[in-house]
C-alpha cells in the first residue's frame, strides 16, 4: 500500500461534523470512511438528471409548439365564427350565448396548460 502523506483540510459545520462521525462509526477512522465514499462515488445520478432535463426540455418544446398550433387554429375558428355573425349567417344570440362562453373556456384551458408547462420547466431547471 502507498504511504499516505497528503493531507486535505475540510471545513464543516457542527451538523456536518456530527454526520461525518455517525457515518464513520463503522470505520477505523473518518479518513477511511471518506476514502471509501470517494471510491464508491459515481456521478451517474448527475448524468441521469441531465438526461432527464434534456428529455423534459424536448417534451416542453413539443408541447409549446403544439399549443401554438392549437392557438392559431383556434383563433382562425373564432375569426370565422365572428365573420359569420357579422354576415348574419350565424345569429348574434348564438355567438354571444353559446359560442363565446365556450371560446372563453377553451382560452382559459390553453392558458392554464401553458402556465403549468412553464411551472414544470422552472422546477425541472432547478435540478
Amino acid at each position: 500500500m502507498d504511504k499516505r502523506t497528503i493531507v486535505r483540510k475540510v471545513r464543516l459545520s457542527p451538523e456536518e461534523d456530527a454526520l461525518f462521525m455517525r457515518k464513520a462509526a463503522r470505520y477505523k477512522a473518518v479518513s477511511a470512511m471518506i476514502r471509501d465514499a470517494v471510491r464508491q462515488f459515481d456521478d451517474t445520478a448527475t448524468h441521469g438528471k441531465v438526461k432527464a432535463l434534456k428529455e423534459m426540455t424536448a417534451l416542453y418544446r413539443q408541447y409549446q409548439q403544439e399549443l401554438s398550433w392549437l392557438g392559431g387554429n383556434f383563433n382562425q375558428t373564432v375569426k370565422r365564427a365572428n365573420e359569420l355573425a357579422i354576415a348574419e349567417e350565424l345569429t348574434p344570440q348564438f355567438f354571444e350565448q353559446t359560442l363565446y362562453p365556450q371560446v372563453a373556456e377553451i382560452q382559459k384551458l390553453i392558458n392554464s396548460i401553458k402556465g403549468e408547462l412553464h411551472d414544470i420547466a422552472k422546477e425541472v431547471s432547478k435540478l
Side-chain angles (χ1 to χ4, degrees), residues 74-121:
F74 183 64
N75 285 340
Q76 289 174 1
T77 301
V78 172
K79 180 181 177 189
R80 180 65 180 139
N82 193 32
E83 290 169 352
L84 290 172
I86 291 170
E88 296 181 356
E89 293 178 29
L90 185 68
T91 66
Q93 181 181 7
F94 177 80
F95 185 82
E96 292 171 3
Q97 294 178 359
T98 305
L99 189 60
Y100 184 74
Q102 293 297 317
V103 167
E105 199 60 35
I106 292 169
Q107 187 64 43
K108 280 186 207 174
L109 182 61
I110 290 172
N111 288 336
S112 173
I113 293 169
K114 288 173 88 173
E116 288 176 14
L117 282 173
H118 178 72
D119 292 345
I120 290 169

Side-chain angles (χ1 to χ4, degrees), residues 22-75:
R22 281 195 311 276
K23 297 275 185 169
R26 68 179 191 94
Y27 292 90
K28 291 180 181 178
V30 174
S31 58
M33 182 267 304
I34 293 171
R35 283 192 297 274
D36 190 38
V38 169
R39 270 192 299 276
Q40 292 181 32
F41 178 75
D42 183 3
D43 59 352
T44 302
T46 302
H47 290 294
K49 286 181 181 180
V50 169
K51 182 181 176 187
L53 183 58
K54 287 180 181 178
E55 289 172 2
M56 196 64 172
T57 301
L59 187 62
Y60 175 79
R61 284 188 187 124
Q62 176 188 345
Y63 279 119
Q64 281 294 93
Q65 187 175 31
E66 288 175 8
L67 278 172
S68 293
W69 289 334
L70 177 63
N73 290 340
F74 183 64
N75 285 340

